[in-house]
Amino acid sequence: MNQPVSCLPVTATKMSKAKKVLDEARETQNREIDLVDKGISTFEELPGLLNMVFVTRITLSHNKLKTVPPGIANLINLEILNLSNNHLEELPLSLSSMPKLRILNCSINRLNTLPRGFGAFPVLEVLDLSYNNLTEKILPGNFFMMDSLRALYLGDNDFEFLPPEIKNLKNLQILGLRDNDLLELPREIGELTRIRELHIQNNRLTVLPPEISNLDLLGQKSVMKMEENPWVTAIAEQYLVGISHVLEYIKTEAYRILYNRYISAGKSGNLPPKVDKSKKASRARS
């Protein structure tokens, strides 16, 4: 027996799927809303969502959203917002005023800017901005004032340097910087004494600041990833033996002399080449 063919346009079908999820959540007062991979292009396909103030978690990953309306801040009880794998090119400033937001995932988008004042989140603990088009030049002045932050993921972007203000993230435990264009790390990174995971693989780093040896990166639950960098020979040789040997070596006076020499020369010397990222999905324009 032939199945009836729907005459609804595709957008209406998508909206009806999302609307069904929202209607059920309203009816049951479900505080966690799952809208993964529903083909959503705009918040207009989510009628009434921004009035559901009882919601604590929203997952909108794997959709086609280009913008997030400022009204998202109406959701004053929202704790977790997952916007990963969309087409976002910008975020509303109002996000950073949300009083209970603890986890914000904006990875795998097309962000090339952040709103001024973006660092004003009162209780944010996890921020994932990996796989976008961000650089140090677009970071708002208060970006590193999020003192509640425990995990910051900036991998797969276009950072060449990190501002020394990163030292203000006193509670940071995880720092993800892999797959950028980093040429050096600031010495102030050694002041982040709670860090237990540091991911700096696949950058353009040749030396490490000696202050990194202040961090506890050798504990049972600690992680340090540093492969795929054009390290100076002395560090490369120590790395072949193990991370612990690298961290011991950079404490030595001989290394401090080498480090200062390389940093001085790096300002005017030949820089390691950039990786071609023109085919990254985050470069696409829809």
Side-chain angles (χ1 to χ4, degrees):
M1 186 175 180
N2 292 335
Q3 294 293 321
V5 178
S6 172
C7 295
L8 285 171
V10 175
T11 51
T13 305
K14 291 176 185 173
M15 186 184 290
S16 63
K17 286 182 180 177
K19 186 174 182 299
K20 183 181 179 183
V21 172
L22 296 178
D23 287 345
E24 288 177 356
R26 265 188 292 266
E27 189 176 329
T28 61
Q29 291 289 290
N30 185 356
R31 295 185 298 171
E32 300 189 356
I33 295 181
D34 185 346
L35 292 164
V36 176
D37 198 16
K38 293 284 191 289
I40 301 165
S41 302
T42 168
F43 271 71
E44 291 176 1
E45 297 168 40
L46 305 171
L49 173 62
L50 301 183
N51 296 321
M52 297 170 67
V53 294
F54 57 88
V55 170
T56 60
R57 178 177 188 147
I58 297 176
T59 305
L60 277 162
S61 55
H62 298 272
N63 283 292
K64 299 176 182 178
L65 292 168
K66 293 182 181 179
T67 60
V68 178
I72 192 77
N74 295 343
L75 303 177
I76 56 174
N77 289 300
L78 195 65
E79 298 179 17
I80 301 173
L81 178 58
N82 187 341
L83 296 165
S84 68
N85 213 330
N86 276 278
H87 298 168
L88 299 174
E89 294 184 13
E90 59 182 7
L91 297 170
L93 173 58
S94 61
L95 263 182
S96 57
S97 68
M98 299 180 74
K100 294 186 180 180
L101 193 64
R102 295 185 297 105
I103 299 174
L104 176 60
N105 186 345
C106 296
S107 63
I108 318 177
N109 276 287
R110 302 173 184 179
L111 297 173
N112 49 38
T113 186
L114 293 174
R116 291 179 65 182
F118 187 72
F121 293 94
V123 296
L124 196 68
E125 296 178 14
V126 179
L127 176 59
D128 192 343
L129 293 170
S130 54
Y131 210 94
N132 281 286
N133 303 317
L134 303 173
T135 74
E136 63 274 11
K137 294 174 184 175
I138 60 85
L139 294 179
N142 68 344
F143 186 81
F144 294 108
M145 300 305 289
M146 295 180 277
D147 55 9
S148 56
L149 209 59
R150 293 186 295 107
L152 176 61
Y153 299 97
L154 296 174
D156 265 304
N157 278 286
D158 301 315
F159 290 94
E160 292 191 351
F161 299 94
L162 281 181
E165 288 80 12
I166 195 169
K167 68 181 180 181
N168 295 326
L169 301 179
K170 297 297 186 187
N171 290 300
L172 203 64
Q173 297 173 26
I174 301 172
L175 179 57
L177 299 169
R178 61 174 178 73
D179 294 289
N180 273 283
D181 291 315
L182 287 170
L183 292 164
E184 63 181 84
L185 296 174
R187 304 185 81 132
E188 290 81 1
I189 205 166
E191 297 182 38
L192 301 176
T193 54
R194 294 195 176 185
I195 280 195
R196 295 297 177 268
E197 284 192 32
L198 179 61
H199 300 264
I200 54 174
Q201 63 269 44
N202 204 14
N203 277 283
R204 299 158 67 199
L205 297 167
T206 53
V207 290
L208 289 169
E211 290 77 7
I212 277 190
S213 62
N214 297 338
L215 307 180
D216 180 11
L217 293 170
L218 295 176
Q220 196 169 2
K221 295 183 179 180
S222 297
V223 176
M224 183 174 180
K225 299 280 190 180
M226 55 180 284
E227 63 269 20
E228 302 298 329
N229 279 288
W231 300 115
V232 296
T233 302
I235 288 183
E237 289 176 348
Q238 297 295 332
Y239 180 60
L240 288 174
V241 190
I243 296 283
S244 60
H245 290 262
V246 174
L247 295 176
E248 282 301 314
Y249 170 64
I250 65 176
K251 292 178 183 178
T252 65
E253 184 60 28
Y255 177 72
R256 287 180 184 274
I257 295 170
L258 181 150
Y259 173 78
N260 290 331
R261 189 169 73 237
Y262 262 84
I263 290 300
S264 299
K267 308 294 184 189
S268 55
N270 294 327
L271 300 176
K274 283 187 176 184
V275 175
D276 179 15
K277 298 182 180 181
S278 59
K279 295 181 180 177
K280 269 181 69 177
S282 60
R283 297 286 198 269
R285 289 290 176 269
S286 50

